[in-house]
Amino acid sequence: MKWDALEEEPCSLARTVAVIGDRWSLMILRECFLRKRRFEAFQSSLGITRHLLAERLKKLVRFGVLRRIPYMESPKRYEYILTQKGLDLYPIIMSIVHWGNVHMVDSRGKPLLHEHKSCGKMFDPLMICSECGEPLNAKQVHTHPGPGARQETLPAKAPAKPKASRTAV
Amino acid sequence: MKWDALEEEPCSLARTVAVIGDRWSLMILRECFLRKRRFEAFQSSLGITRHLLAERLKKLVRFGVLRRIPYMESPKRYEYILTQKGLDLYPIIMSIVHWGNVHMVDSRGKPLLHEHKSCGKMFDPLMICSECGEPLNAKQVHTHPGPGARQETLPAKAPAKPKASRTAV
DNA sequence: ACGATAAAGTTCTATTTTAGAACTGTCAAT
DNA sequence: ATTGACAGTTCTAAAATAGAACTTTATCGT
């Protein structure tokens, strides 16, 4: 697949995957949320090749997830910080971490615990419906084409059959 | 990087990324949540090469995310359905879709709308703290090493310095 | 009976990506 | 004058992916 093809798809998942859907981007973002900001810091804690790191950072900046700001003049040195768009990735990162906590831990338990400053407790993230507040699960969700759905290239033979899809994503 | 290295890391994000952290796995999972189950269905709707599709399906089965079940004897035909472990990926998929809805849509709006069967309304997913129920954001979260944290290979010189990390993942 | 079609892969070569290591340029410290 | 830090860039070899053809078992239409 060409990467660019993903961006063009009328699918919010595909478009997001075009931005963060590779191992290294997700690992770099983990480091960003852990307050790492500099090239050397990313490189040494991830073990990513310098070549790829430079490439991925460029991509994340290009997509507006990170901002590259100078922290030292002469020699020019830059660090990478999350933009609001980047900070908004937090639920993705947290749901990934949570799934790993549930399904990929060994007998010792979670590698990392999360404390919610607001309430002071160790927590897990929980995904709920914005409308009724109930926890979400795939089987309780229907999807419908939205305004940005793919343009139906009306086939001559098959007439439009606008039925709600019985699906979840 | 070797893929296996990720699995071994004492990090729930890395371990999860080892399972679903590539473009095609995420796209295949999208199709799964959209009730696609068969090889040909995945292949034609994604445009993935048959070679890679076979490979990714094997991986997802190996990790227990999908189950391969025969739906026809002679000729043997199989379909792939989400296990509970796979269904538990729903919050990841939904948070990815939601970020795309917020940050990657064109002027026409969302490609897909989600209806919560329980309450009958179109919704967005919202991530909250399991303990206090408040919406989560990165800046309100501290992390602490958990029981499954990396074994400190105590360096002779640097004495253990057990301070809470001021971080978020 | 014969060829066409279908599903679920497998096999092959060409192209693209990634790994791994070395190199560059600018400055500060010893 | 040499060493080291930082933020990259450049190079070659190895691995992954794209794209197309091929395989196997069985059904359908004529």
Side-chain angles (χ1 to χ4, degrees):
Chain A
M1 158 175 278
K2 321 92 201 174
W3 261 116
D4 299 354
L6 273 186
E7 274 181 74
E8 305 304 326
E9 280 199 44
C11 168
S12 289
L13 186 134
R15 289 173 187 162
T16 303
V17 165
V19 180
I20 60 158
D22 66 282
R23 2 169 147 54
W24 283 126
S25 294
L26 286 165
M27 296 299 286
I28 291 167
L29 286 166
R30 176 189 78 179
E31 296 302 309
C32 291
F33 279 107
L34 288 168
R35 307 295 193 260
K36 295 272 174 68
R37 321 182 137 206
R38 300 185 182 175
F39 193 94
E40 295 295 321
F42 292 127
Q43 203 279 318
S44 66
S45 70
L46 292 177
I48 185 176
T49 64
R50 307 176 72 77
H51 179 68
L52 261 204
L53 176 56
E55 219 260 334
R56 291 292 192 271
L57 288 172
K58 249 176 223 156
K59 187 187 72 167
L60 292 170
V61 168
R62 179 159 43 82
F63 276 114
V65 166
L66 298 178
R67 201 192 321 276
R68 183 166 175 268
I69 57 173
Y71 69 91
M72 183 197 279
E73 304 292 329
S74 101
K76 279 268 191 188
R77 289 293 144 75
Y78 300 91
E79 57 187 11
Y80 297 86
I81 62 165
L82 289 161
T83 61
Q84 185 57 50
K85 188 172 175 179
L87 287 167
D88 286 351
L89 290 166
Y90 196 59
I92 298 178
I93 300 294
M94 278 303 277
S95 54
I96 290 175
V97 170
H98 183 237
W99 190 87
N101 279 339
V102 172
H103 292 289
M104 303 292 286
V105 295
D106 57 36
S107 57
R108 297 184 305 151
K110 304 179 188 177
L112 211 55
L113 301 176
H114 299 266
E115 179 191 341
H116 193 210
K117 290 196 218 174
S118 327
C119 72
K121 302 208 182 108
M122 298 300 173
F123 73 97
D124 288 312
L126 185 63
M127 183 162 279
I128 63 170
C129 167
S130 59
E131 304 307 307
C132 71
E134 287 301 304
L136 280 177
N137 79 304
K139 311 223 166 183
Q140 295 168 329
V141 177
H142 267 206
T143 57
H144 305 269
R150 184 191 303 282
Q151 225 63 339
E152 295 282 351
T153 56
L154 300 177
K157 299 309 265 305
K161 205 190 205 179
K163 68 172 179 186
S165 56
R166 209 167 302 89
T167 56
V169 169
Chain B
M1 158 177 277
K2 319 96 201 170
W3 261 116
D4 300 354
L6 274 186
E7 274 181 75
E8 304 305 326
E9 280 199 46
C11 169
S12 289
L13 186 135
R15 289 172 186 162
T16 303
V17 165
V19 181
I20 60 158
D22 66 283
R23 0 167 149 58
W24 284 126
S25 294
L26 287 165
M27 296 298 285
I28 290 168
L29 286 166
R30 177 189 79 179
E31 296 302 309
C32 291
F33 280 107
L34 288 168
R35 307 294 193 261
K36 295 273 174 69
R37 320 180 137 206
R38 300 186 183 176
F39 193 93
E40 294 295 321
F42 292 126
Q43 204 279 319
S44 66
S45 70
L46 292 177
I48 184 176
T49 64
R50 308 177 72 77
H51 180 68
L52 261 204
L53 176 56
E55 219 259 334
R56 291 293 191 271
L57 288 172
K58 248 175 224 156
K59 188 186 72 169
L60 292 170
V61 168
R62 179 159 44 81
F63 277 114
V65 167
L66 298 179
R67 201 191 322 276
R68 183 167 175 267
I69 58 173
Y71 68 92
M72 182 196 280
E73 304 293 331
S74 106
K76 278 267 189 189
R77 290 292 145 75
Y78 300 91
E79 56 186 12
Y80 297 87
I81 64 166
L82 289 161
T83 61
Q84 185 57 51
K85 188 171 175 180
L87 287 167
D88 286 351
L89 291 166
Y90 196 58
I92 298 178
I93 300 294
M94 278 304 277
S95 54
I96 291 175
V97 169
H98 183 237
W99 190 86
N101 279 339
V102 172
H103 292 289
M104 303 292 286
V105 294
D106 57 37
S107 57
R108 297 184 305 152
K110 304 179 188 176
L112 211 56
L113 301 175
H114 299 266
E115 178 189 342
H116 193 209
K117 289 197 219 174
S118 327
C119 72
K121 302 208 182 108
M122 299 298 174
F123 72 97
D124 287 312
L126 185 64
M127 183 163 278
I128 63 170
C129 167
S130 60
E131 303 307 308
C132 71
E134 287 302 304
L136 281 177
N137 78 304
K139 310 223 166 184
Q140 295 169 330
V141 177
H142 267 204
T143 57
H144 304 271
R150 185 191 303 283
Q151 225 63 338
E152 295 282 350
T153 56
L154 300 176
K157 299 308 265 307
K161 205 189 205 179
K163 68 172 178 185
S165 56
R166 207 168 303 92
T167 56
V169 170

